Amino acid sequence: MVEPERYQDQDPEPCVLYIRCGGTDPATLTALAGLVGQFTPIVRVERPDAVVADVRPAVGFYGLLPEQLALMISTRAAGLYDVRLTIGVAGSRTVAYMAAYDILAGRIRAVDADPGAVADFLRPQPVAALPGITADAVGALVAAGLGTVGRVAAAPLPEVQRILGAGPGRAVWDRAHGVDAGPLVPESPPRSLAADRLFTADATDRGTLSRAVIELGLGLGDRLRSTGRTATGLTLTVRLGGGSSVSRSRTLPAPTSDPGELAEAAFGMHEALGAHQAPVRAVALRAEGLSAADAVPARPVPAGAVRSRAVLPSTFAVHPVQEERRMSS
């Protein structure tokens, strides 16, 4: 029998994303974690090829479904890093992991957090799909006639523990019910923070691009200040429509979270890149060398400068014409 008290704290909404990007290199995986971190601070890399995140903060902030956020992340990852993500969306890490287990690359699968829907989804899955299960445990369960997640969930806990041992049996039995071992704990604060703008149509107007870069700098400053950190460097990357990219890095004169200073430095880096021969698909700005901030007064932002709400809305895809119209308003 399932013990109700063990499941009452599970989140009632499907707010966990399990993001697989199989075959990618470590640097791209780190960049992907930074991309997801623009939407939520509760992000963790699960090597060798996945990122898991609780997007509840973003769901509340934007009023969007987790599946919609997953689609945004997938679209932007394809444009920025040329990777195809496979994403499971569910109310727990266990179920989100399994939702991403056997679907085609580039797909998103969402499992409703209703207990009946979770049970229906898990029941036919092979026990090999459970996260963290070993090959020996799979073999033992299959030999005992418990080859599916549904059969493990229906079995008495003592029987599963007799087959696998007390601790491993408990863990497998819990996961067969879609229950996580504990809350998702984010990794230690990152040493960098990124923001980017992905255009729905490749941009060619230099003024539009400059405004996007300035807004990214302002937004990064807002986010650094809100988390009490400063940056010592910036890297600007411009991804061209043909798939190539150009980058420029700069060490800042002193650690800062000042939005005006970061925007000014970002604009200077963009100007230093010169004219581009191809339309631009996306621009990305990364603040690097982060550390705890000392109390420093903010430098006033020049009149007429564009400010974004923590730059997060600007990370969504925007058509260049629409963006220019919004910027000039």
Side-chain angles (χ1 to χ4, degrees), residues 231-234 250-256 261-262 265:
T232 59
L234 288 176
R250 174 174 296 181
T251 299
L252 300 170
T256 184
E261 291 181 7
L262 294 173

Side-chain angles (χ1 to χ4, degrees), residues 2-328:
V2 176
E3 302 172 30
E5 66 273 14
R6 286 187 61 81
Y7 306 98
Q8 63 187 6
D9 293 332
Q10 296 298 298
D11 196 279
E13 298 297 333
C15 288
V16 177
L17 306 186
Y18 193 91
I19 305 167
R20 294 175 56 202
C21 48
T24 190
D25 59 275
T28 302
L29 184 63
T30 299
L32 176 62
L35 169 64
V36 179
Q38 295 178 30
F39 294 90
T40 174
I42 312 173
V43 180
R44 190 167 190 86
V45 173
E46 293 199 353
R47 291 175 172 81
D49 65 350
V51 173
V52 61
D54 185 336
V55 295
R56 190 182 296 101
V59 168
F61 186 85
Y62 295 112
L64 298 175
L65 296 173
E67 303 94 296
Q68 293 172 308
L69 289 169
L71 180 59
M72 289 179 179
I73 291 169
S74 180
T75 300
R76 292 172 56 219
L80 291 165
Y81 312 121
D82 195 26
V83 295
R84 298 180 68 195
L85 303 181
T86 304
I87 305 178
V89 185
S92 71
R93 297 195 311 284
T94 295
V95 180
Y97 171 96
M98 297 182 69
Y101 178 74
D102 64 350
I103 56 176
L104 296 175
R107 300 292 182 86
I108 298 170
R109 176 193 279 169
V111 179
D112 195 286
D114 174 77
V118 171
D120 289 344
F121 168 72
L122 293 177
R123 189 175 298 113
Q125 304 295 326
V127 291
L130 288 170
I133 195 167
T134 65
D136 288 344
V138 171
L141 289 170
V142 170
L146 304 178
T148 66
V149 174
R151 290 185 177 182
V152 173
L157 173 60
E159 179 181 349
V160 179
Q161 291 179 312
R162 177 182 59 79
I163 297 169
L164 301 180
R170 174 96 236 187
V172 167
W173 193 77
D174 280 346
R175 288 170 181 163
H177 289 97
V179 177
D180 296 331
L184 176 61
V185 179
E187 294 182 303
S188 57
R191 294 288 295 168
S192 64
L193 185 66
D196 49 66
R197 173 72 55 77
L198 176 64
F199 299 104
T200 55
D202 291 347
T204 56
D205 179 69
R206 190 164 179 80
T208 295
L209 296 172
S210 294
R211 284 191 291 272
V213 168
I214 291 171
E215 185 174 343
L216 292 178
L218 292 170
L220 278 181
D222 287 339
R223 292 169 62 196
L224 287 170
R225 283 188 177 278
S226 70
T227 56
R229 291 179 290 172
T230 60
T232 59
L234 288 176
T235 294
L236 175 68
T237 301
V238 178
R239 187 170 181 84
L240 306 178
S244 62
S245 62
V246 292
S247 299
R248 193 172 188 90
S249 297
R250 174 174 296 181
T251 299
L252 300 170
T256 184
S257 61
D258 186 281
E261 291 181 7
L262 294 173
E264 183 178 332
F267 176 76
M269 294 161 66
H270 184 248
E271 289 294 297
L273 285 175
H276 310 300
Q277 298 301 314
V280 174
R281 179 172 301 168
V283 290
L285 185 66
R286 179 175 296 275
E288 300 168 331
L290 305 190
S291 61
D294 296 325
V296 178
R299 192 180 74 176
V301 177
V306 178
R307 297 304 297 269
S308 64
R309 183 176 54 179
V311 88
L312 288 173
S314 71
T315 63
F316 293 168
V318 180
H319 190 285
V321 175
Q322 295 174 332
E323 178 190 72
E324 185 168 12
R325 203 173 284 139
R326 177 169 63 86
M327 293 290 189
S328 60

